[in-house]
Amino acid sequence: MKCNRCHKNVEDASAIMKQSSFKIDLAQYRGDDSLPVIVPEHSFAVDADWAGAWTVAGDIDGDGVAELVQARMWQSDDVHAVAAVSAYRLDGSLLWRWGEPSDGMAALHSDAPCQIHDWNRDGRQEVVLATRERVFVLDGATGTEMRSFPTPSHEAADCIVFANLTGGNEDDILLKTRYHRIWAFTSTGKLIWTVENPAGMRTAHQPFVIDINDDGFDVILAGYALLDHTGQVLWALDASTLALGRGHLDCVRVLRKADSMEDWRLVMTCCADEALLCVDGCGRLVWEQRGRHFESIDIGCFQPESDEKHILVDIDHTEPNLSLLQIYGECGALVGEINTVYSRHHLMIKWANEPAEQFVACEERMLVSGVTGEPLARFATPMPDNTRFDQSTRNSEHAKRGVFHLLGHTANLFGHGRDDLLLTTNPGGAVWTYRNSGKQGNALLGTGCNVTLY
């Protein structure tokens, strides 16, 4: 299949690679005292009995700055749900608690069904979560239960996704099992539709919702199939041609929006099938990379005064200190490779007043240039007093990396319209927030309503 933009840019990408392709090992910079140090605005330890690794942010009490909500998970045989949540101000002072923390654990190896969203559109944000039995809507300011409805299955709390499926006054909600079934409900718990193994393949970790055909409703990339707002399959990737089916969709991001579906570009990673794919809005392959366990994707513009997009993707399931981040151009050319201690969690961000985006390598605690792969600054993570990390429920891959590893989110935390940085530990225990010193912007408070680690 031909793509005029990509064919034009293949020559551009080749020229860029000749000039600026790079291979960097961040290990050589870990002891570099000349790097600027960015200190946290706040840091605090979470009560070990309530600590969880899933953290989302939003202005839940209406004071003009964000608060943090942390979920503690129940988990058994790769089935999980929320056991308890706790809400904190940015300085670590407790706002409220809900649930049964003794039923949960501090460690995490998946998304959690806990989001912050103004679901009823009254100007105040709620905390929405799923236990094995029910979906609960909590008042953001107090943690008081506002309403709830039953889950369709005890395994239906893999994640929560909000979507516009019915065009009503409130968003609808998607629930799912780990890999096979998705349910769509209205905000009152009325079932809209359900689908199992869409197009005969597994679901993604998080259904990806987007209004790709500009009809006012969201469509859902449920896995390797795109569903319309009624749950019907619009298209599915050709599993036989693309050698898919051993695994599932890990992550999908929009690389390029367009007026026609044929000119949209989506990039996705395929677990076990070891593929990074770029497809158009009709599901047709544009380009592919193979042979790695590609996991999570960030999209950004690393070059100032350019609209050319770059793809940042980590390579998972590797040994410690041999964990790659790769950067690809818009047409699939490898631009750079960065070796890290653990590449799994990374974030795009415009820090300070830089004209282009950089990225955060969370485990390295470094702000990194997407042009050279070299670190620009270091984020200090002073350990708060009385921090404890429960090791009893960690999986073996995480345990071999130390007593914890770092998760991260970008979010307007301080009400200045800029994306700040939030770093937390897995297992839960410590939190650090960093204020972005850039000019006033227009970013909404918080992490958004469909947070994912994929």
Side-chain angles (χ1 to χ4, degrees):
M1 183 182 63
K2 292 190 176 182
C3 165
N4 291 335
R5 182 181 180 89
C6 280
H7 280 281
K8 171 185 179 296
N9 287 340
V10 164
E11 296 180 1
D12 296 341
S14 298
I16 290 172
M17 285 191 67
K18 289 179 182 178
Q19 297 173 17
S20 60
S21 60
F22 58 83
K23 197 168 187 176
I24 293 290
D25 190 341
L26 292 182
Q28 63 184 306
Y29 298 96
R30 289 173 197 153
D32 186 351
D33 294 333
S34 68
L35 284 175
V37 176
I38 303 170
V39 298
E41 183 90 357
H42 298 290
S43 61
F44 62 91
V46 179
D47 183 336
D49 292 334
W50 284 83
W54 178 265
T55 307
V56 287
D59 184 10
I60 57 176
D61 64 358
D63 64 351
V65 298
E67 287 74 42
L68 307 178
V69 173
Q70 195 165 93
R72 187 171 171 89
M73 298 292 289
W74 175 90
Q75 193 270 338
S76 177
D77 296 328
D78 213 19
V79 176
H80 52 264
V82 169
V85 293
S86 47
Y88 305 89
R89 300 176 184 89
L90 293 178
D91 64 3
S93 57
L94 180 67
L95 197 59
W96 51 260
R97 289 169 171 166
W98 179 94
E100 298 293 337
S102 60
D103 292 342
M105 62 186 193
L108 187 72
H109 68 276
S110 65
D111 278 359
C114 175
Q115 302 286 2
I116 296 174
H117 186 38
D118 179 11
W119 200 0
N120 58 12
R121 301 183 186 175
D122 67 349
R124 298 187 298 269
Q125 294 200 314
E126 295 84 50
V127 175
V128 185
L129 60 92
T131 68
R132 284 170 286 170
E133 293 81 18
R134 301 188 72 82
V135 174
F136 288 93
V137 183
L138 309 183
D139 179 80
T142 66
T144 304
E145 294 177 15
M146 298 172 63
R147 64 181 189 268
S148 69
F149 60 85
T151 59
S153 162
H154 284 184
E155 297 186 6
D158 193 62
C159 69
I160 282 175
V161 173
F162 294 100
N164 177 16
L165 306 178
T166 58
N169 292 327
E170 299 183 4
D171 288 327
D172 308 296
I173 191 172
L174 301 172
L175 300 178
K176 64 183 286 290
T177 63
R178 187 68 169 148
Y179 294 119
H180 297 288
R181 192 164 186 176
I182 300 172
W183 292 266
F185 293 93
T186 67
S187 60
T188 61
K190 179 182 177 182
L191 180 66
I192 306 170
W193 50 259
T194 184
V195 62
E196 186 170 6
N197 294 330
M201 293 177 280
R202 296 179 184 179
T203 61
H205 284 295
Q206 188 194 57
F208 186 77
V209 297
I210 186 172
D211 183 9
I212 197 170
N213 50 12
D214 200 30
D215 65 353
F217 295 99
D218 286 325
V219 296
I220 305 102
L221 196 58
Y224 295 143
L226 187 73
L227 311 180
D228 69 11
H229 65 281
T230 70
Q232 299 301 305
V233 174
L234 291 173
W235 53 254
L237 299 184
D238 189 332
S240 58
T241 300
L242 296 176
L244 300 175
R246 290 189 300 142
H248 53 265
L249 181 68
D250 268 334
C251 176
V252 60
R253 294 290 181 269
V254 175
L255 179 61
R256 182 70 61 175
K257 296 180 180 180
D259 293 332
S260 66
M261 291 182 65
E262 291 81 1
D263 291 330
W264 275 73
R265 295 291 180 266
L266 305 172
V267 286
M268 56 186 67
T269 56
C270 308
C271 173
D273 297 309
E274 295 195 328
L276 173 68
L277 305 180
C278 177
V279 303
D280 69 10
C282 300
R284 296 173 297 194
L285 182 67
V286 179
W287 55 259
E288 62 181 337
Q289 293 285 349
R290 292 277 180 172
R292 300 277 195 174
H293 188 112
F294 302 100
E295 190 80 26
S296 292
I297 297 168
D298 289 317
I299 305 294
C301 296
F302 287 139
Q303 297 283 355
E305 300 179 358
S306 172
D307 68 344
E308 289 300 312
K309 302 292 183 65
H310 288 89
I311 301 158
L312 176 68
V313 61
D314 60 279
I315 312 299
D316 200 14
H317 302 299
T318 60
E319 292 301 312
N321 298 304
L322 296 173
S323 193
L324 295 178
L325 285 163
Q326 291 185 328
I327 299 174
Y328 290 88
E330 200 164 341
C331 295
L334 180 63
V335 175
E337 192 170 80
I338 303 102
N339 188 54
T340 78
V341 62
Y342 184 42
S343 67
R344 181 65 188 85
H345 301 287
H346 45 88
L347 309 160
M348 290 280 193
I349 195 168
K350 279 189 177 181
W351 194 260
N353 291 313
E354 292 297 320
E357 288 173 291
Q358 304 89 38
F359 69 88
V360 179
C362 292
E363 194 72 6
E364 296 282 6
R365 301 156 171 83
M366 290 179 181
L367 181 69
V368 182
S369 166
V371 177
T372 67
E374 297 174 325
L376 303 171
R378 189 189 316 279
F379 293 96
T381 52
M383 192 58 63
D385 293 338
N386 303 316
T387 306
R388 289 168 45 201
F389 298 106
D390 181 5
Q391 302 297 306
S392 61
T393 55
R394 301 186 73 199
N395 65 33
S396 58
E397 183 175 355
H398 289 171
K400 70 184 179 182
R401 301 183 185 279
V403 296
F404 66 88
H405 64 271
L406 291 179
L407 309 178
H409 293 298
T410 56
N412 174 11
L413 298 174
F414 299 100
H416 59 168
R418 291 294 301 262
D419 275 335
D420 305 296
L421 176 64
L422 168 66
L423 291 180
T424 60
T425 59
N426 186 10
V431 175
W432 299 270
T433 60
Y434 304 83
R435 183 188 293 266
N436 193 336
S437 61
K439 296 178 181 178
Q440 183 79 21
N442 56 7
L444 298 177
L445 277 169
T447 46
C449 67
N450 286 332
V451 176
T452 180
L453 294 175
Y454 293 97

